[in-house]
Amino acid sequence: MPPLITLVIYDIEDDKLRSEVASFLKSKGLKRIQYSAFIGPLTDSQRIDVVAGLRRLTRNSSKVNIQVYPLTPASYNMRMVIGIPFYDEIGGEELIVT
Amino acid sequence: MPPLITLVIYDIEDDKLRSEVASFLKSKGLKRIQYSAFIGPLTDSQRIDVVAGLRRLTRNSSKVNIQVYPLTPASYNMRMVIGIPFYDEIGGEELIVT
């Protein structure tokens, strides 16, 4: 299977854990598109690795909800964006995947 | 086209506008799955109507980013969820779409 653009959205109450999850997703090559959303191409094995890492990071925490959506090209091409692109608060680089 | 499960995620700085967007999405029959994420089946014309409504609601606001992802059944079936389901803070009903 070719890599699929994979959307990860999260709802994490604890500030420290939320930052750790963001750093982890960035370390896996995903790009931030919203405060609590990352996206990027992942192969099946990379996606399994990311999900395993997220489970590890959050296994002792309650009030965590993370959802991972592998998008078929058809799904990704239908996406619509309203408003301004999200700029990473550190790098200032544009992080919309086009 | 049959309805597609459609994921809407948003990043909205203004508290009042964020609540308005949440109420609007709920009024369109979508279910909250995270603090800033709703999901539900929408036909093409319903999706156009939702996007138009979101543009109207947010047209005078900066610091708004809303992304709408129509999911093919293949995409939706590949989703993975980590952690606890999100419970609506008002109704207490379980809002995970299964």
Side-chain angles (χ1 to χ4, degrees), chain A residues 7 9-11 34 36-37 65 67 69, chain B residues 6-11 18 22 25 30-40 67 86 95:
Chain A
L7 177 66
I9 60 176
Y10 51 90
D11 214 346
Q34 288 187 356
S36 295
N65 183 269
Q67 305 201 13
Y69 291 88
Chain B
T6 300
L7 177 67
V8 181
I9 60 175
Y10 51 89
D11 213 348
R18 197 171 54 245
L25 292 171
L30 300 180
K31 288 184 182 292
R32 198 170 211 162
I33 51 164
Q34 287 186 354
Y35 182 64
S36 296
F38 279 75
I39 204 166
Q67 305 202 13
F86 182 91
L95 290 170

Side-chain angles (χ1 to χ4, degrees), chain B residues 32-87:
Chain B
R32 198 170 211 162
I33 51 164
Q34 287 186 354
Y35 182 64
S36 296
F38 279 75
I39 204 166
L42 295 176
T43 62
D44 285 356
S45 65
Q46 286 171 330
R47 193 160 48 248
I48 288 166
D49 173 60
V50 165
V51 169
L54 290 170
R55 285 193 202 280
R56 249 193 326 271
L57 266 173
T58 61
R59 68 185 156 193
N60 296 318
S61 309
S62 59
K63 303 198 177 171
V64 167
N65 183 268
I66 305 175
Q67 305 202 13
V68 178
Y69 291 88
L71 303 172
T72 58
S75 269
Y76 186 65
N77 290 333
M78 283 187 286
R79 84 193 187 289
M80 282 164 286
V81 179
I82 297 161
I84 56 163
F86 182 91
Y87 286 81

Side-chain angles (χ1 to χ4, degrees), chain A residues 4-95:
Chain A
L4 290 177
I5 300 280
T6 300
L7 177 66
V8 181
I9 60 176
Y10 51 90
D11 214 346
I12 297 173
E13 194 169 280
D14 183 76
D15 291 343
K16 181 163 169 286
L17 181 60
R18 197 169 56 245
S19 293
E20 286 170 0
V21 164
S23 297
F24 172 75
L25 292 171
K26 197 178 284 191
S27 78
K28 294 298 179 179
L30 300 180
K31 288 185 184 293
R32 197 169 212 163
I33 50 164
Q34 288 187 356
Y35 182 63
S36 295
F38 279 75
I39 205 167
L42 295 176
T43 62
D44 285 357
S45 65
Q46 286 171 329
R47 195 160 48 248
I48 288 166
D49 172 61
V50 165
V51 169
L54 290 170
R55 286 193 202 280
R56 248 193 327 270
L57 266 174
T58 61
R59 70 186 153 191
N60 295 319
S61 309
S62 58
K63 304 199 176 169
V64 167
N65 183 269
I66 305 175
Q67 305 201 13
V68 178
Y69 291 88
L71 303 173
T72 58
S75 270
Y76 186 65
N77 290 333
M78 283 188 286
R79 86 192 186 287
M80 281 165 287
V81 179
I82 297 161
I84 55 162
F86 182 91
Y87 286 79
D88 188 286
E89 65 279 20
I90 297 162
E93 68 182 306
E94 188 172 340
L95 290 171

